[in-house]
């Protein structure tokens, strides 16, 4: 089995507070992986370190074997990272934006134009290709930044809350696009607070709490682990995080 992303003892502090605490994790290639956790658990901090946007205090992240600390250029070519807030240039139109992104990756203009057209058509943005991004709704901006993530054909796409704010039709489009991309052998890692999304889309799920991985596996494995064998992911998630909080309080008390 090829590992798309491996975290080894990844650690980050903000001042005296530990946000990510010696995190170890392996995510197999060709799968959709959901990273869950309560607010403030350390998900975004972890993903920003994987994307090379934040320097870890310890440990490392390997993208298909390339270290983000030691081979950052090679590692970054293999991934696309989408933050939870869509970042666009307001004075660019969708085609211009995608061609600009393609230019940053050194993709030939003819190829870039053809890919941009296909992506905009797939995401129902072709009809607004001539309008400035600043006029777009949040959902339209989200779809366009997602299109931008596909431009350099990364092997691993990391998405922070990709479906929040999308209407039902847009969410379906994005889910289908991600599923196709995984079927082609690529890997998607996403965070979400919407348990139904993780339950329906993810092959494996990791749960982070207070910067530590408290449980990891398929939904069935997590059910067994939580003792909620017939439970849905919401029940399993709440049970596992509450257990971890109780253990933590006990550790602090002694
Ligand atoms: P959410 O689900 O709410 O988005 P999260 O799991 O993504 O949360 P992080 O954003 O990684 O969590 O935050 C982890 C911890 O680090 C939190 O306690 C947060 O307050 C803290 N933190 C995050 N960014 C900073 C920062 N720039 N400066 C100081 N503390 C930070």
């Amino acid at each position: 089995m090829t590992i798309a992303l491996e975290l080894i003892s990844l650690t980050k502090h903000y001042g005296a507070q530990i946000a990510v605490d010696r995190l170890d994790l392996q995510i197999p290639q060709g799968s959709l992986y959901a990273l869950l956790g309560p607010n403030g658990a350390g998900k975004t901090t972890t993903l920003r370190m994987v994307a090379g946007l934040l320097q870890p205090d310890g440990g490392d992240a390997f993208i298909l074997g390339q270290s983000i600390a030691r081979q950052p250029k090679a590692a970054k070519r293999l991934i696309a990272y989408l933050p939870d807030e869509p970042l666009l240039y307001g004075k660019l139109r969708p085609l211009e934006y995608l061609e600009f992104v393609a230019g940053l990756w050194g993709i030939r203009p003819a190829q870039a134009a053809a890919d941009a057209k296909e992506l905009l058509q797939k995401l129902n943005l072709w009809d607004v290709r001539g309008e400035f991004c600043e006029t777009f709704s949040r959902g339209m901006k989200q779809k366009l930044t997602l299109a931008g993530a596909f431009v350099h054909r990364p092997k691993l796409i990391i998405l922070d809350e990709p479906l929040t704010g999308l209407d039902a039709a847009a969410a379906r489009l994005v889910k289908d696009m991600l599923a196709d991309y995984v079927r082609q052998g690529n890997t998607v890692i996403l965070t979400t607070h919407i348990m139904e999304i993780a339950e329906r889309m993810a092959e494996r799920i990791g749960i982070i709490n207070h910067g530590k991985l408290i449980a990891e596996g398929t939904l069935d494995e997590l059910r067994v682990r939580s003792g909620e064998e017939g439970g849905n992911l919401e029940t399993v998630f709440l049970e596992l995080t509450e257990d971890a909080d109780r253990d933590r309080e006990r550790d602090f008390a002694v």
Side-chain angles (χ1 to χ4, degrees):
M1 178 183 64
T2 308
I3 302 300
L5 176 67
E6 179 166 30
L7 308 183
I8 298 181
S9 207
L10 197 67
T11 303
K12 181 73 191 176
H13 294 81
Y14 292 112
Q17 188 210 355
I18 189 151
V20 176
D21 193 357
R22 289 160 294 163
L23 199 60
D24 293 319
L25 181 64
Q26 288 193 336
I27 296 182
Q29 190 181 15
S31 64
L32 193 145
Y33 194 97
L35 201 55
L36 310 180
N39 290 133
K43 303 179 295 297
T44 299
T45 303
T46 300
L47 298 185
R48 285 176 55 80
M49 287 192 281
V50 171
L53 299 173
L54 194 63
Q55 184 83 26
D57 299 330
D60 202 351
F62 295 85
I63 294 125
L64 290 160
Q66 311 277 346
S67 152
I68 193 72
R70 282 177 286 115
Q71 297 130 327
K73 262 194 173 169
K76 283 182 192 176
R77 273 207 92 83
L78 297 169
I79 54 174
Y81 167 69
L82 239 65
D84 47 358
E85 284 297 322
L87 277 177
L88 285 168
Y89 300 95
K91 294 290 180 207
L92 289 184
R93 301 172 176 90
L95 266 178
E96 291 166 345
Y97 170 71
L98 294 182
E99 286 170 10
F100 166 74
V101 173
L104 294 178
W105 288 108
I107 295 167
R108 282 184 301 111
Q111 180 71 53
D115 287 354
K117 182 173 181 186
E118 192 186 327
L119 283 165
L120 293 177
Q121 283 175 333
K122 254 194 207 165
L123 286 163
N124 274 344
L125 291 170
W126 184 244
D127 291 348
V128 292
R129 64 189 178 280
E131 299 183 20
F132 287 125
C133 297
E134 66 190 6
T135 67
F136 285 4
S137 72
R138 186 192 156 94
M140 290 159 78
K141 286 181 184 160
Q142 254 173 279
K143 287 199 292 181
L144 184 55
T145 50
L146 183 71
F150 281 94
V151 162
H152 70 289
R153 301 175 188 220
K155 300 269 181 232
L156 167 64
I157 292 192
I158 300 173
L159 308 147
D160 206 348
E161 292 281 343
L163 299 166
T164 311
L166 293 184
D167 66 32
R172 166 64 67 83
L173 262 178
V174 170
K175 283 191 244 176
D176 288 349
M177 204 164 154
L178 296 177
D180 274 352
Y181 172 75
V182 168
R183 263 194 296 277
Q184 290 159 21
N186 301 298
T187 310
V188 170
I189 303 172
L190 55 81
T191 69
T192 181
H193 290 296
I194 308 170
M195 295 293 141
E196 290 79 14
I197 290 174
E199 187 159 352
R200 251 184 270 133
M201 293 182 70
E203 284 143 78
R204 296 182 75 80
I205 296 162
I207 301 178
I208 297 189
N209 198 19
H210 297 290
K212 281 183 185 295
L213 188 73
I214 57 162
E216 198 273 336
T218 62
L219 177 55
D220 278 340
E221 287 166 353
L222 296 180
R223 282 189 176 118
V224 172
R225 176 85 198 269
S226 67
E228 296 282 349
E229 309 236 342
N232 61 15
L233 181 58
E234 184 179 58
T235 311
V236 167
F237 172 81
L238 290 174
E239 184 60 36
L240 288 168
T241 47
E242 282 161 16
D243 269 359
D245 281 342
R246 272 193 295 273
D247 288 348
R248 203 163 172 264
E249 276 164 29
R250 206 174 310 126
D251 289 348
F252 275 126
V254 286

